[in-house]
Amino acid sequence: MQFHHHGYVSHDPRVLPAAGTGIDRPADLPDTMDVLIVGSGPAGMLLAAQMSQYPDVTTRLIEKRDGRLVLGQADGIQPRSVETFQAFGFAERIIAEAYNIGWMNFWGPDPENRQNIVRTARTADYAYDICEFPHLIVNQARVLDYFAEAAADGPGRILPDYGVEFLGLTVHEEGDYPVEVRVRYSAGERAGEERTIRAKYVAGCDGARSGVREAIGRTHVGAMAAHAWGVMDVLVNTDFPDWRTKCAINAEAGNILHIPREGGYLSRMYIDLGEVAADDNHAVRATPIEAIIAKANEILHPYAIDVKQVAWHSVYEVGHRITDGFDDVDPGSAAAPRVFLTGDACHTHSAKAGQGMNVSMQDGFNLGWKLGSVLTGRAPAALLSTYGAERQPVAQQLIDFDREWSSLMARKPEEISDPQELAKYYLATAEFPSGFMTRYTSSMITGSDAHQALAAGFPLGKRFKSAEVVRVSDGNVIHLGHHAKADGRWRVYAFGDASGAGLDAWAAAAAPVFARFTPADGDVDAVFDVKAVSQRSYEDLDVTTAPALFQPKTGPLGLTDWEKLYAAAPSHWSTTDIFAERELSRDGVVVVVRPDQYVAAILPLDGVDELASFLEGAFLEV
């Protein structure tokens, strides 16, 4: 963590100085605003945390509830999400309180007595095989708390406006604030009062029954599956030996997905309630908790649970639906969108693949920096059209995966020919549920793959996969990607050639290119955080002799940033360096990474003209 560059800091350095709209922020909703976020779920709260990094943009978040979420439904946190938490500054803290999924065990009918279950497989969880971050279980409410903290501590000082209900909106063709929004106070002294506010952009983060989705005429496409599941968070005593291990249980009596929760005692159980009749009319949703517990015990036989407390429970029918558009612009229109849908407002699915909250947060991450870039004049409004173009295919892939996983989980024992099949599928598809299969295609912010061979381990359009390097200024081994924060800046990693001459020449030629898109009154790295990785040993490098691009003067005091130059030394766990681990050309390569951590361009060191061409398509010159 870097601080003090704006002067000595004696307080918590995670609390950034208020700036812009964060200074004297009005307690009540203003009549006009740049961005209105509707809903304080995972996508909405991440979006608020991101927008707080743009204090010159007026952002407000409204939520019908009268306060913070107390009990969240979602709980599975995939490694990509933990990677995202790291960018927002709270990964280490949430890991400390979460349940770390180290193993997943599989149970099936005992061949000697098929009314009993036996363990059929133990599998180590996939997280550490593909990422340095774990696979976690933690209450959604705590995730929202951390994002709320990041939003409140950012320069924009964004706080949710609780007790305000969205009623509807109208998008006008003209005006500085073309989106007219009707709201009603739902709590407090003003409860029942209605008013109209205006915004430049609206983000609908308001869940599966989204009023924003309805207001812009978008509809869910898909159907409910004819299968019901009871879910409960419970505190129990039990003789089931894997109570503190994630388990998939397939029995003659039905199926259970069992997930231990944070805190050492709480666990979540998804209990198969069977097929739902066509004329059920959702009556299954009224299944009493006593019946769900009884069904769980029937499936677990010969083991049993003695439930001491039910913290939360529900019944749902599996649904796989996607909205026919993620913004308010019809296909083929050249207009820039004004209203966006995120999370459950545009895609719904079962909970068993652990994807809902995770994919929703990536929706918010994708949208946030784009809104900030457009509203601060860094990028053209056309950038906002890439939100739906990028996220809608991801949602469809999620639904396809979840449909297959849900079908496998709901099978009857006689339909299973290989008892190891579910375990094999779980491991074989690990990269997708981890959040690492997302790959954005060519656009104004994802360039050509002509030079992909120079950086095979950083696939274009996929998230930047961190690796260890040595910080030259102090010799510390760090993850290169962990230095990147969710501050709206682009990252540019220049991996040097063997001699270093090509890297120096690139720095001299690239510096004026970056300057074309950087405000004159801002820090030199206000838009592009440029870092160099040399093939030489850190003992042979000296920050003070590096090109000026790698030792910029920042902040009002003009202090030198000593954390731009790195050496590609071996990691703790291998004898290879980042060039070998990520298959980087020893002739050097430049990797450009978007603010949401996705690789945007791969270029040779002598490709400065190509760099300039790419940036001209993604940015506005200042």
Side-chain angles (χ1 to χ4, degrees), residues 163-202:
V164 181
E165 179 182 5
F166 172 86
L167 297 179
L169 64 76
T170 302
V171 180
H172 299 280
E173 294 185 2
E174 299 180 349
D176 292 336
Y177 300 91
V179 187
E180 179 183 334
V181 183
R182 293 180 295 109
V183 300
R184 176 170 56 216
Y185 291 90
S186 56
E189 296 179 356
R190 301 175 67 176
E193 177 186 337
E194 296 186 12
R195 59 179 291 205
T196 298
I197 56 179
R198 288 182 173 269
K200 292 181 179 178
Y201 299 101
V202 171

Side-chain angles (χ1 to χ4, degrees), residues 325-327 337 340 366 370 382-395 439-443:
F326 280 30
D327 58 42
F340 307 88
N366 184 289
K370 294 176 180 178
L383 175 63
L384 299 175
S385 297
T386 67
Y387 168 71
E390 290 186 336
R391 296 307 296 171
Q392 192 161 353
V394 171
R439 189 166 192 174
Y440 298 134
T441 55
S442 179
S443 70

Side-chain angles (χ1 to χ4, degrees), residues 510-592:
V513 174
F514 295 129
R516 289 168 50 192
F517 307 100
T518 302
D521 59 351
D523 286 339
V524 66
D525 60 353
V527 178
F528 303 99
D529 176 15
V530 185
K531 289 180 166 58
V533 182
S534 172
Q535 294 184 46
R536 298 162 62 192
S537 168
Y538 95 94
E539 295 96 338
D540 298 329
L541 296 168
D542 182 348
V543 172
T544 63
T545 63
L549 186 62
F550 306 138
Q551 47 174 326
K553 305 298 186 289
T554 62
L557 303 179
L559 300 176
T560 301
D561 186 338
W562 288 71
E563 300 189 5
K564 300 287 191 179
L565 183 62
Y566 298 83
S571 74
H572 290 311
W573 296 281
S574 73
T575 58
T576 59
D577 64 12
I578 191 172
F579 281 80
E581 289 183 18
R582 297 293 176 264
E583 301 177 75
L584 306 178
S585 170
R586 296 286 176 177
D587 293 330
V589 61
V590 176
V591 179
V592 182

Side-chain angles (χ1 to χ4, degrees), residues 188-258:
E189 296 179 356
R190 301 175 67 176
E193 177 186 337
E194 296 186 12
R195 59 179 291 205
T196 298
I197 56 179
R198 288 182 173 269
K200 292 181 179 178
Y201 299 101
V202 171
C205 311
D206 50 341
R209 297 180 178 85
S210 171
V212 176
R213 182 184 66 234
E214 181 180 354
I216 61 174
R218 295 300 184 194
T219 58
H220 267 334
V221 178
M224 303 298 292
H227 210 97
W229 292 79
V231 55
M232 59 184 184
D233 286 339
V234 288
L235 295 165
V236 313
N237 282 329
T238 180
D239 57 352
F240 180 60
D242 285 355
W243 187 249
R244 295 305 300 167
T245 303
K246 183 179 178 183
C247 295
I249 303 167
N250 180 264
E252 293 286 334
N255 305 289
I256 289 176
L257 179 63
H258 169 69

Side-chain angles (χ1 to χ4, degrees), residues 220-227 282 285 317-322 348-350 399 402-403:
H220 267 334
V221 178
M224 303 298 292
H227 210 97
H282 306 308
R285 298 180 184 178
E317 298 154 273
V318 175
H320 302 99
R321 292 176 292 176
I322 187 170
T348 59
H349 37 82
S350 82
I399 286 172
D402 182 65
R403 183 179 289 113

